[in-house]
Amino acid sequence: MKEKELKQMTIPAQRLMARCAGEEKRVGTRTVFVGNHPVSETEAYPAQRFCDNRIVSSKYTLWNFLPKNLFEQFRRIANFYFLIIFLVQVTVDTPTSPVTSGLPLFFVITVTAIKQGYEDWLRHRADNEVNKSTVYIIENAKRVRKESEKIKVGDVVEVQADETFPCDLILLSSGTSDGTCYVTTASLDGESNCKTHYAVHDTIALCTAESIDTLRATIECEQPQPDLYKFVGRINIYSNSLEAVARSLGPENLLLKGATLKNTKKIYGVAVYTGMETKMALNYQGKSQKRSAVEKSINAFLIVYLFILLTKAAVCTTLKYVWQSNPYNDEPWYNQKTQKERETLKVLKMFTDFLSFMVLFNFIIPVSMYVTVEMQKFLGSFFISWDKDFYDEEINEGALVNTSDLNEELGQVDYVFTDKTGTLTENSMEFIECSIDGCKYNGVTEEVDGLSQTDGPLTHFDKAVKDREELFLRALCLCHTVEMKTNDTVDGATESAEFTYVSSSPDEIALVKGAKKFGFTFLGTRNGHMRVENQRKEIEEYELLHTLHFDSVRRRMSVIVKTQIGEIYLFCKGADSAVFPRVPVDEIEPTKRHVEHSAMDGYRTLCVAFKKITPDDYEKINRQLVEVKLALQDREEKMEKVFDDIETNMNLIGATAVEDKLQDQAAETIDALHAAGLKVWVLTGDKMETAKSTCYACRLFQTGTELLELTTKSIEECERKEDRLHELLIEYRKKLLREFPKSTIRSHKKAWTDQEYGLIIDGSTLSLILNSSQDSSSNNYKSIFLQICMKCTAVLCCRMAPLQKAQIVRMVKNLKGSPITLSIGDGANDVSMILESHVGIGIKGKEGRQAARNSDYSVPKFKHLKKLLLAHGHLYYVRIAHLVQYFFYKNLCFILPQFLYQFFCGFSQQPLYDAAYLTMYNICFTSLPILAYSLLEQHINIDTLTSEPRLYMNISGNAMLQLGPFLYWTFLAAFEGTVFFFGTYFLFQTSSLEDNGKVYGNWTFGTIVFTVLVFTVTLKLALDTRFWTWINHFVIWGSLAFYVFFSFFWGGIIWPFLKQQRMYFVFAQMLSSVSTWLAIVFLIFISLFPEILLIVLKNVRRRSARNPNLELPMLLSYKHIDSGYS
């Protein structure tokens, strides 16, 4: 065990408690009394003030649901606007009933409230399942059954095999003799492999309720924070002499709520974080909302239409008073004013008239659009989850949608940022070769006396000394965090029927398997001793003294072990850049050649070093490690410094090469993304040679691509790096400006037919660019660098730290034109860039599920990105863009005749339509067809979209929601609204439309206009539909049939609750006239004629195009480019 070698630190209890109190105030720690027992009977027991163990993920309660939900809904501009209109209708004498705006608003609010209430009810139910679950607490040496929500901080909890941990626990003891337990954290980070956790050595023996109750200890730890992989604390164990033994606690001792106990009979743990302070709860609180470009366009359109509404109201109010300037028009003989009306202040009257016109025209703002958009996004997201092409048999999973708010953004991507390992490659490692003391060995050749030399250009090297070979293989068997499980079902690579290797890193398993291939087999760790079987089938035991864990800053890991004869060794493995500076210079060159050669072949390389430690030196090292592991403040920084001091003056043994195979169809996917006009950047922590080789293999770089390098190697030629960097930046910019004199982010997409350029930059050079000194020669490094990047077809960023990945994404996001960025990765180091980009895609990979958990969408493989963007993204964008434009179009068609009618009724605010029609137009008559269209439309076949990637460029730059298409839809609505009104108006020039000489009135006039309106806007959508299903037929023709049925029904009965029966028999009487039938059909045809004509012309053009078989959309707002496809 790691804790076994730690020396006891004896501190008087009083001094310890005094120091704890001061430290708690200083750094924000908490002190937990194990079992809620005071450390001694003579000392006072301080009252504990921590939250209970209830989990509350719900948003509402029964009492606050109504006010809280209403408050949130009315924060939306459109909802608040309609609320104001409704209040105006209630308080002011307006031409339309409050029902006309109140009922649609009530419908929208109710539907949204039901949806949110149901979702919250599900959360309540899930919370209750967790909070009411049964747990066992150790109280007074007995197992006491309680509900999970009643656990308090300090309680000792018993957890059985296959149960989940009810709160965050510090492991005290387990059912195994060495105090270990195995845990899966799939519900937290998606990782299905087992992780090993440890109890401190002093509490391992406390395996019963009676013995655990005798423990007197306190735990000092940091206050709750959400990082799943960090924990800092220490446990102070008190004996009868009131002297405390302090032991350090880290993430390996912490069992997280939500994780599951596996392959261990039971454990005892003490609760340190409960309820909403557990790491699981903190991780699910608040995730930053991303807004799509379509949402921003909707808000812009709303502002335009609100301006149109205000203009209409202002024009009508002004013209009303111009009209009434004539006394006869102001007060005709048949409509005398009351005394109150004559005494009303004129300014107040003008204001109320303005509000009345606002109410009359308010339907130009489509309040129901928000509900339709939400339903479209929510229901549409299921098509990604249901897509069988995204299903991966290996992991038995498909795609997952974590947020449906960004579906359309998948069709607007300009830049793709991808990780390499596990994303472009399989992250399935195979040991290929190694180098020992400058001698190269192949991992697949026949074994001769341990290792064998490979054939090829390196055959002139002699074999390394036998002792060095064995030392190298022992290093591979000892320097790792691999665990071995015997005869169980833990996930991992099965070595034989007897045991399985388990590790969070595939590299480590590959290296251990590589050593086994050459006769050195790792047999696992028992009681703090690592066991290795050598080539002579002898078992060697090494006491594991310390593990210096890997981190992305140091880029290496080490172990300190003691042999059976008492010798102490440090074995270290890590990246060449992390190991070479710590070994003698004369040892580097032979191994460096092999490392570079392996990297150019695309292999992942690690260097292996060691040093022998004297007992005196170890005493000093041990003292330093014990001290920093017990620190509560800045423990990680202190440990990093100590690790740095320990890992010096080592001797290089050799290097390993592990192959990470390219993912299936990775190259074809990148080709398709390039053809679609997307720029692909690879951001990786690997060395340049390995990454470059992978980029060529996956065709990010073509054979004809000219590479521009901004790396440490290319700028070290000059004494002043910044000067050399500036020279290179200027040189590359001039070269690219000559090639592409004028181009923007998106226009340059179609210029990639001539010479292509690729850029390679490493982390240190990027730091130099971003953090360059602000003098006259270097203050424009960043802008020059961005100019170069914009003109390169592909960029490779190697040796990148996770933070630098996010910086790159943020830098591109802020470019002029605000390009849409997408990040895709599979590991925890990719989370920062996934969260930073507009759209984050997580790969369900072998490095865990942190990336998938923090992403907007997750897919099993990189190849699935092709269909996700080119097909789903394209269709989602076209559907929702059409939905938005159509909503504004049909509402302008609806209100424009009402506006024109005011010129013929003396601006008297007389409604053109009946109140029932006003209310039901958006709710019933025209809502379902556009919803079905926005879910099912495929204007281009999915196979065509994936096989012809250039079609993706047709919708780039939010093409369908730009000013041009918006004006087209607006003018189309204005034309059709004018036809509706004046066509009916000219029809009414004949005073009698019936054989019996009866004259039609204003409600018949309005009903004819409304009938033409409903049929025209619905048939317009039918003309736009390219992919017909039975659902489209049902909702389109069903909506029209419902309108006709409702009109007959509404006008065919005398409704007792109506004061005025103005629509009684109007619809039936109207349709009894042949001239009315002809007029309706004729006006519908005239309204749709421009649309039909354009479709015919586009069909003729398509048939005469170079590629007549390519089925292109007939959407008038669709952007066309010179690509040979339109």
Side-chain angles (χ1 to χ4, degrees):
M1 282 302 303
K2 298 178 183 179
E3 289 76 19
K4 183 176 181 180
E5 72 283 351
L6 294 180
K7 293 193 170 183
Q8 294 187 355
M9 299 182 66
T10 306
I11 306 170
Q14 292 81 359
R15 285 176 55 200
L16 177 67
M17 294 304 292
R19 199 180 84 182
C20 289
E23 195 163 87
E24 184 163 359
K25 291 177 183 175
R26 188 171 69 251
V27 297
T29 61
R30 62 168 53 183
T31 301
V32 177
F33 288 79
V34 177
N36 288 311
H37 298 304
V39 292
S40 73
E41 296 178 0
T42 57
E43 291 192 16
Y45 174 62
Q48 301 276 35
R49 290 185 176 272
F50 302 114
C51 72
D52 58 27
N53 199 41
R54 280 182 302 164
I55 286 293
V56 182
S57 63
S58 55
K59 197 173 183 179
Y60 309 105
T61 66
L62 191 62
W63 311 111
N64 71 8
F65 173 74
L66 199 60
K68 192 172 182 179
N69 186 264
L70 288 176
F71 174 74
E72 289 176 351
Q73 290 206 58
F74 284 119
R75 289 169 66 183
R76 268 191 171 161
I77 296 173
N79 288 350
F80 184 72
Y81 162 78
F82 266 82
L83 177 65
I84 297 299
I85 292 294
F86 173 72
L87 294 176
V88 168
Q89 286 179 295
V90 170
T91 55
V92 178
D93 183 18
T94 55
T96 57
S97 166
V99 175
T100 57
S101 59
L103 191 60
L105 179 64
F106 177 77
F107 173 76
V108 169
I109 296 295
T110 303
V111 168
T112 306
I114 291 172
K115 172 179 171 286
Q116 293 177 350
Y118 175 70
E119 290 173 349
D120 204 61
W121 176 76
L122 292 178
R123 287 192 286 266
H124 271 285
R125 191 173 69 174
D127 289 347
N128 281 331
E129 285 179 9
V130 173
N131 293 333
K132 302 297 182 184
S133 60
T134 301
V135 295
Y136 288 95
I137 311 295
I138 305 303
E139 288 183 357
N140 300 320
K142 294 180 182 178
R143 293 172 76 241
V144 179
R145 181 173 175 172
K146 286 189 176 183
E147 292 178 343
S148 175
E149 65 184 2
K150 294 182 180 177
I151 295 175
K152 303 188 298 294
V153 171
D155 283 347
V156 176
V157 183
E158 179 185 296
V159 180
Q160 303 283 342
D162 297 319
E163 292 181 354
T164 58
F165 301 117
C167 56
D168 291 351
L169 304 167
I170 291 295
L171 178 60
L172 296 176
S173 63
S174 74
T176 59
S177 59
D178 58 357
T180 60
C181 71
Y182 299 95
V183 170
T184 58
T185 57
S187 61
L188 293 172
D189 57 16
E191 295 187 33
S192 57
N193 59 307
C194 277
K195 299 179 177 65
T196 309
H197 289 258
Y198 307 91
V200 295
H201 182 67
D202 306 75
T203 61
I204 287 175
L206 306 177
C207 298
T208 63
E210 293 77 11
S211 60
I212 205 81
D213 197 56
T214 63
L215 177 64
R216 297 295 180 267
T218 61
I219 292 174
E220 299 167 82
C221 58
E222 61 188 355
Q223 293 292 359
Q225 54 100 354
D227 194 323
L228 295 175
Y229 310 101
K230 290 183 180 178
F231 176 75
V232 175
R234 63 174 173 242
I235 182 170
N236 307 300
I237 303 168
Y238 295 86
S239 62
N240 294 331
S241 60
L242 290 182
E243 291 185 343
V245 176
R247 293 283 187 258
S248 68
L249 298 173
E252 68 276 6
N253 310 111
L254 183 67
L255 305 172
L256 299 177
K257 177 182 176 66
T260 305
L261 183 66
K262 291 287 184 182
N263 306 305
T264 309
K265 187 177 179 182
K266 67 176 180 180
I267 65 100
Y268 291 106
V270 57
V272 286
Y273 305 128
T274 52
M276 300 309 291
E277 292 184 341
T278 59
K279 288 182 180 287
M280 184 184 79
L282 293 174
N283 266 277
Y284 288 100
Q285 288 178 358
K287 191 176 177 182
S288 60
Q289 289 291 321
K290 297 179 180 180
R291 293 178 63 214
S292 69
V294 169
E295 280 188 62
K296 297 170 186 174
S297 297
I298 290 175
N299 290 336
F301 293 170
L302 276 175
I303 292 171
V304 172
Y305 271 72
L306 189 59
F307 176 75
I308 293 173
L309 171 63
L310 294 171
T311 304
K312 281 183 176 181
V315 167
C316 286
T317 304
T318 304
L319 292 178
K320 175 177 182 175
Y321 283 90
V322 172
W323 165 265
Q324 290 181 351
S325 61
N326 184 329
Y328 176 77
N329 293 334
D330 183 34
E331 195 174 355
W333 61 269
Y334 56 84
N335 190 18
Q336 297 290 316
K337 290 182 179 180
T338 64
Q339 187 64 29
K340 184 180 178 181
E341 287 176 331
R342 290 191 181 97
E343 293 173 355
T344 303
L345 197 63
K346 192 169 186 178
V347 174
L348 181 61
K349 189 78 171 70
M350 290 178 71
F351 178 69
T352 55
D353 282 336
F354 177 79
L355 291 179
S356 296
F357 280 118
M358 285 274 291
V359 168
L360 193 63
F361 304 142
N362 78 83
F363 285 94
I364 198 171
I365 305 294
V367 66
S368 59
M369 181 179 66
Y370 281 103
V371 173
T372 310
V373 166
E374 275 195 17
M375 291 176 68
Q376 190 270 347
K377 288 184 175 185
F378 174 70
L379 296 174
S381 63
F382 286 105
F383 290 114
I384 294 178
S385 304
W386 292 337
D387 195 326
K388 292 181 180 179
D389 291 340
F390 291 154
Y391 179 77
D392 186 73
E393 292 183 356
E394 185 181 342
I395 63 173
N396 199 30
E397 289 184 48
L400 181 67
V401 179
N402 294 325
T403 175
S404 60
D405 292 337
L406 302 171
N407 293 343
E408 64 276 9
E409 205 81 332
L410 294 170
Q412 293 298 296
V413 176
D414 296 301
Y415 285 82
V416 174
F417 299 93
T418 174
D419 178 40
K420 184 183 78 70
T421 306
T423 304
L424 295 177
T425 60
E426 287 282 2
N427 202 14
S428 179
M429 310 299 178
E430 182 183 354
F431 184 87
I432 298 297
E433 60 191 23
C434 61
S435 169
I436 305 173
D437 282 350
C439 301
K440 191 173 181 181
Y441 297 84
N442 194 304
V444 295
T445 55
E446 188 178 346
E447 183 181 329
V448 180
D449 191 24
L451 293 177
S452 60
Q453 215 173 328
T454 184
D455 297 328
L458 299 172
T459 52
H460 64 276
F461 284 118
D462 294 328
K463 288 183 65 177
V465 179
K466 180 70 173 175
D467 289 346
R468 298 286 285 185
E469 287 182 355
E470 293 189 350
L471 182 66
F472 178 81
L473 292 172
R474 286 189 180 96
L476 295 187
C477 283
L478 297 171
C479 189
H480 56 72
T481 56
V482 175
E483 293 288 335
M484 198 193 76
K485 286 298 295 171
T486 306
N487 294 326
D488 57 34
T489 57
V490 179
D491 295 343
T494 304
E495 306 301 314
S496 68
E498 286 78 29
F499 60 84
T500 302
Y501 287 139
V502 178
S503 175
S504 58
S505 169
D507 297 75
E508 293 198 320
I509 293 179
L511 294 178
V512 171
K513 288 167 68 177
K516 182 176 183 293
K517 189 182 295 184
F518 295 117
F520 275 73
T521 306
F522 173 61
L523 298 178
T525 304
R526 183 181 299 170
N527 296 325
H529 288 75
M530 302 181 79
R531 303 172 70 244
V532 176
E533 182 183 271
N534 62 25
Q535 293 170 342
R536 296 176 292 278
K537 304 301 180 184
E538 299 168 348
I539 305 298
E540 302 175 0
E541 284 203 4
Y542 299 85
E543 184 181 357
L544 179 58
L545 301 176
H546 290 283
T547 301
L548 282 56
H549 289 282
F550 175 87
D551 65 66
S552 57
V553 178
R554 287 168 50 243
R555 299 182 63 80
R556 60 185 179 274
M557 74 154 293
S558 301
V559 293
I560 301 175
V561 296
K562 182 190 286 187
T563 66
Q564 289 168 304
I565 60 174
E567 293 179 333
I568 299 174
Y569 287 92
L570 176 139
F571 291 106
C572 175
K573 74 170 189 283
D576 55 346
S577 60
V579 174
F580 283 165
R582 298 172 179 276
V583 299
V585 177
D586 58 325
E587 295 180 0
I588 295 174
E589 195 55 38
T591 303
K592 187 177 181 181
R593 285 200 303 272
H594 294 160
V595 168
E596 290 176 350
H597 187 271
S598 297
M600 291 184 69
D601 289 339
Y603 300 143
R604 292 164 62 88
T605 59
L606 287 173
C607 293
V608 181
F610 86 105
K611 76 173 178 179
K612 192 172 181 180
I613 302 174
T614 65
D616 291 340
D617 287 341
Y618 176 70
E619 288 296 321
K620 179 183 176 184
I621 289 170
N622 183 57
R623 192 163 52 250
Q624 289 177 321
L625 288 172
V626 169
E627 186 178 336
V628 296
K629 285 183 178 180
L630 289 175
L632 292 181
Q633 188 176 12
D634 303 326
R635 178 187 290 184
E636 291 180 1
E637 292 79 2
K638 291 174 181 177
M639 288 177 70
E640 187 178 329
K641 185 178 185 304
V642 171
F643 289 176
D644 205 51
D645 293 339
I646 294 171
E647 294 167 328
T648 54
N649 302 320
M650 297 185 292
N651 296 102
L652 189 63
I653 316 174
T656 63
V658 174
E659 183 181 21
D660 188 7
K661 294 179 181 177
L662 206 64
Q663 275 201 15
D664 181 38
Q665 296 182 36
E668 291 82 352
T669 303
I670 286 183
D671 275 347
L673 296 179
H674 273 155
L678 277 66
K679 291 189 176 182
V680 182
W681 292 28
V682 174
L683 312 181
T684 179
D686 269 359
K687 60 181 68 63
M688 186 186 79
E689 294 79 8
T690 307
K692 190 200 280 189
S693 174
T694 304
C695 288
Y696 274 113
C698 68
R699 299 207 281 271
L700 181 76
F701 296 150
Q702 306 290 340
T703 51
T705 303
E706 184 176 339
L707 297 181
L708 312 176
E709 290 190 12
L710 288 172
T711 61
T712 307
K713 188 175 179 181
S714 64
I715 65 173
E716 276 180 346
E717 301 168 7
C718 183
E719 288 185 8
R720 270 185 56 81
K721 291 183 180 181
E722 289 195 357
D723 291 343
R724 176 58 182 158
L725 176 61
H726 191 255
E727 288 174 14
L728 282 173
L729 288 170
I730 296 297
E731 178 188 334
Y732 292 159
R733 184 175 67 170
K734 285 180 179 177
K735 178 182 289 191
L736 290 167
L737 285 176
R738 283 197 303 270
E739 196 75 31
F740 310 109
K742 287 184 181 179
S743 65
T744 62
I745 293 167
R746 296 181 175 99
S747 67
H748 181 55
K749 289 178 178 180
K750 47 194 173 186
W752 294 355
T753 52
D754 303 323
Q755 175 63 52
E756 291 188 355
Y757 288 90
L759 177 69
I760 300 177
I761 185 170
D762 60 16
S764 59
T765 311
L766 179 67
S767 296
L768 206 59
I769 289 172
L770 297 179
N771 306 316
S772 57
S773 58
Q774 298 298 309
D775 56 42
S776 58
S777 64
S778 62
N779 57 8
N780 59 349
Y781 279 5
K782 187 175 175 181
S783 70
I784 298 174
F785 171 66
L786 286 172
Q787 290 175 42
I788 294 169
C789 290
M790 286 172 63
K791 290 175 172 54
C792 289
T793 56
V795 177
L796 166 62
C797 303
C798 47
R799 298 292 196 192
M800 288 282 127
L803 184 61
Q804 287 181 311
K805 291 184 178 184
Q807 286 178 323
I808 287 277
V809 176
R810 190 181 308 117
M811 187 170 63
V812 173
K813 271 175 68 177
N814 295 329
L815 281 172
K816 186 179 179 182
S818 300
I820 304 299
T821 58
L822 177 147
S823 294
I824 180 168
D826 73 316
N829 60 332
D830 303 315
V831 170
S832 55
M833 73 171 182
I834 284 173
L835 293 176
E836 182 63 43
S837 59
H838 293 94
V839 183
I841 311 287
I843 300 284
K844 299 177 179 179
K846 298 179 181 178
E847 288 189 12
R849 297 293 176 86
Q850 297 97 315
R853 188 166 56 87
N854 286 279
S855 64
D856 303 306
Y857 304 87
S858 60
V859 291
K861 299 286 184 185
F862 180 77
K863 67 180 180 181
H864 297 137
L865 187 63
K866 177 181 176 181
K867 187 176 183 182
L868 187 65
L869 295 186
L870 303 187
H872 286 285
H874 189 121
L875 292 175
Y876 279 134
Y877 174 75
V878 170
R879 290 165 180 167
I880 200 164
H882 202 84
L883 182 152
V884 171
Q885 297 279 30
Y886 179 79
F887 253 97
F888 285 104
Y889 150 81
K890 73 184 181 72
N891 278 38
L892 184 56
C893 286
F894 181 40
I895 289 303
L896 185 61
Q898 178 74 74
F899 172 71
L900 295 173
Y901 186 57
Q902 297 307 302
F903 289 83
F904 295 87
C905 67
F907 305 99
S908 61
Q909 300 153 14
Q910 169 67 33
L912 177 63
Y913 312 117
D914 181 64
Y917 289 157
L918 284 171
T919 304
M920 300 187 69
Y921 176 72
N922 278 316
I923 296 177
C924 300
F925 300 149
T926 59
S927 58
L928 286 180
I930 184 58
L931 179 60
Y933 176 96
S934 66
L935 289 172
L936 303 171
E937 175 62 4
Q938 293 180 27
H939 60 290
I940 302 178
N941 184 272
I942 287 182
D943 292 335
T944 305
L945 286 172
T946 51
S947 62
E948 300 289 348
R950 287 194 177 208
L951 291 172
Y952 191 84
M953 287 191 279
N954 290 353
I955 58 167
S956 64
N958 202 14
M960 294 179 66
L961 292 174
Q962 293 297 327
L963 181 62
F966 176 68
L967 290 176
Y968 164 76
W969 282 91
T970 303
F971 283 122
L972 182 67
F975 166 75
E976 292 180 2
T978 305
V979 169
F980 301 158
F981 181 80
F982 285 105
T984 309
Y985 174 77
F986 288 122
L987 172 69
F988 268 65
Q989 295 305 300
T990 304
S991 58
S992 176
L993 292 176
E994 295 189 65
D995 296 336
N996 59 10
K998 286 184 180 179
V999 179
Y1000 284 161
N1002 65 311
W1003 295 115
T1004 305
F1005 181 88
T1007 303
I1008 294 174
V1009 172
F1010 191 79
T1011 303
V1012 176
L1013 162 71
V1014 170
F1015 273 78
T1016 300
V1017 297
T1018 305
L1019 292 176
K1020 153 71 177 162
L1021 193 63
L1023 285 174
D1024 286 342
T1025 302
R1026 299 287 168 270
F1027 186 75
W1028 284 90
T1029 66
W1030 69 266
I1031 298 176
N1032 296 91
H1033 283 290
F1034 178 77
V1035 296
I1036 286 177
W1037 313 124
S1039 293
L1040 295 177
F1042 175 74
Y1043 164 69
V1044 175
F1045 170 78
F1046 174 82
S1047 296
F1048 275 115
F1049 184 68
W1050 180 246
I1053 299 175
I1054 295 178
W1055 299 98
F1057 56 84
L1058 293 178
K1059 294 179 181 178
Q1060 300 169 332
Q1061 303 290 334
R1062 56 194 180 194
M1063 291 299 293
Y1064 182 68
F1065 230 63
V1066 167
F1067 193 77
Q1069 190 75 14
M1070 177 189 81
L1071 293 184
S1072 65
S1073 169
V1074 175
S1075 56
T1076 305
W1077 276 90
L1078 291 174
I1080 290 173
V1081 173
F1082 180 70
L1083 290 177
I1084 292 172
F1085 175 75
I1086 292 295
S1087 300
L1088 295 175
F1089 180 73
E1091 191 87 359
I1092 296 169
L1093 185 63
L1094 284 171
I1095 289 174
V1096 171
L1097 291 174
K1098 287 170 75 69
N1099 270 320
V1100 171
R1101 182 187 174 194
R1102 181 172 63 87
R1103 289 195 181 94
S1104 61
R1106 282 175 290 173
N1107 194 353
N1109 296 321
L1110 183 61
E1111 185 188 347
L1112 278 174
M1114 320 256 183
L1115 301 177
L1116 299 177
S1117 55
Y1118 203 86
K1119 184 173 76 174
H1120 293 282
I1121 61 170
D1122 256 353
S1123 59
Y1125 291 91
S1126 58

